[in-house]
Amino acid sequence: MGCIQSITCKARIRRENIVVYDVCATIDQCPTRHRGDLAHRPALQDPLLQSLGPRGHAPHPPPRDLVVGWIQACNQMEFFNTYSDLGMSSWELPDLREGRVKAISDSDGVSYPWYGNTTETVTLVGPTNKISRFSVSMNDNFYPSVTWAVPVSDSNVPLLTRIKRDQSFTTWLVAMNTTTKEKIILQTIKWRMRVDIEVDPLQLLGQRARLVGRTQQEQPRILSRMEPIPPNALVKPNANDAQVLMWRPKRGPPLVVIPPK
């Protein structure tokens, strides 16, 4: 990170009028934690993804207005919660599950196609005779909650026995012409989050959950090549609005518990 303020260090990426001097993508090295001491539901807290960049400048006047920022899409999601031998609930993205799309937007649901519109983007107004130095950053956090009891039952009896989650994302650093919507991909990052927790519902609150999967996550991969952005990563719906909560019993047909928004 030492070249943040230096314009003499070697440029990492050059695309038209944008020079990227530094890109950093990390997942905090703190262990995956679970909070199983709540009266009705255990909350899972996973490490934080921090993607920082670009840090640098545009060496020539931009000929038009550009927005530079982060676009993220979900490529794969498995989120299963097992309830004894009765069945499991699962958060699913039907179009992704059935292979109808390759990715689904992970926008905040407002700032399409961008992940957000605060620290995640910067607008360069051109043309200008000045070099524009800027930095954009984004954070992604997991704070899912899972019910102790079967989600389609009126009972509050704790029957949850396992929680497994495996989700993959692609994140792009992009410069977009605000008029033509032409996009210049500056960087592509891949990352994945996996959680595996066993639960003994017969134990006391605070003693039920045990992490059996990895305690630390794999670090994101900053690709040496630019990967194209699938069309569905740029438009509605985003992953939160598209996901469905299903109940899949061992016996009987599956039920939709929470439909897409």
Side-chain angles (χ1 to χ4, degrees):
M1 307 297 284
C3 68
I4 292 176
Q5 300 299 330
S6 172
I7 63 173
T8 60
C9 63
K10 184 178 179 180
R12 179 184 176 90
I13 301 165
R14 292 179 184 271
R15 291 287 188 278
E16 294 195 7
N17 293 319
I18 306 295
V19 178
V20 179
Y21 279 109
D22 189 24
V23 175
C24 175
T26 62
I27 293 178
D28 282 356
Q29 289 298 299
C30 60
T32 298
R33 298 182 297 275
H34 59 80
R35 294 172 54 221
D37 55 351
L38 303 180
H40 298 292
R41 58 181 65 202
L44 312 182
Q45 182 175 338
D46 293 329
L48 163 74
L49 171 74
Q50 295 180 329
S51 297
L52 307 175
R55 308 180 190 283
H57 63 266
H60 304 291
R64 61 232 182 245
D65 292 357
L66 294 174
V67 177
V68 180
W70 296 102
I71 295 173
Q72 182 163 278
C74 177
N75 308 104
Q76 172 260 343
M77 183 171 80
E78 297 177 357
F79 192 171
F80 305 119
N81 310 304
T82 303
Y83 292 85
S84 185
D85 60 349
L86 299 177
M88 69 178 185
S89 68
S90 61
W91 284 103
E92 303 175 9
L93 296 167
D95 285 347
L96 197 60
R97 181 192 64 207
E98 301 298 331
R100 291 189 288 268
V101 299
K102 294 182 178 179
I104 290 180
S105 169
D106 198 34
S107 166
D108 61 2
V110 177
S111 310
Y112 293 96
W114 308 107
Y115 184 78
N117 64 357
T118 53
T119 63
E120 297 86 2
T121 61
V122 64
T123 299
L124 305 176
V125 180
T128 177
N129 294 321
K130 296 181 179 180
I131 291 176
S132 303
R133 295 179 175 87
F134 57 91
S135 174
V136 288
S137 64
M138 61 166 280
N139 291 333
D140 197 354
N141 297 272
F142 285 122
Y143 292 101
S145 297
V146 181
T147 58
W148 289 120
V150 174
V152 295
S153 171
D154 293 331
S155 171
N156 288 323
V157 176
L159 293 171
L160 179 68
T161 52
R162 191 147 195 174
I163 302 167
K164 291 193 71 174
R165 183 169 187 167
D166 187 350
Q167 198 163 1
S168 298
F169 299 88
T170 304
T171 310
W172 294 269
L173 181 62
V174 177
M176 184 176 72
N177 183 314
T178 58
T179 301
T180 67
K181 305 304 179 183
E182 175 191 3
K183 299 173 186 64
I184 305 166
I185 299 176
L186 302 171
Q187 190 70 70
T188 307
I189 298 169
K190 296 278 192 180
W191 64 283
R192 183 179 184 183
M193 185 66 68
R194 286 183 281 181
V195 176
D196 192 354
I197 293 175
E198 285 186 350
V199 181
D200 185 348
L202 299 179
Q203 297 296 319
L204 297 174
L205 285 172
Q207 302 177 20
R208 294 176 178 174
R210 180 173 69 93
L211 184 68
V212 294
R214 58 180 61 231
T215 58
Q216 293 184 335
Q217 302 294 323
E218 297 175 9
Q219 288 301 305
R221 294 182 294 119
I222 301 176
L223 305 188
S224 58
R225 68 187 187 284
M226 304 302 151
E227 188 169 292
I229 306 175
N232 288 85
L234 303 171
V235 296
K236 295 180 179 181
N238 68 345
N240 286 340
D241 289 346
Q243 65 183 355
V244 178
L245 180 62
M246 299 293 299
W247 169 246
R248 298 187 177 277
K250 285 290 184 66
R251 290 174 292 276
L255 300 174
V256 176
V257 182
I258 300 177
K261 295 180 180 178

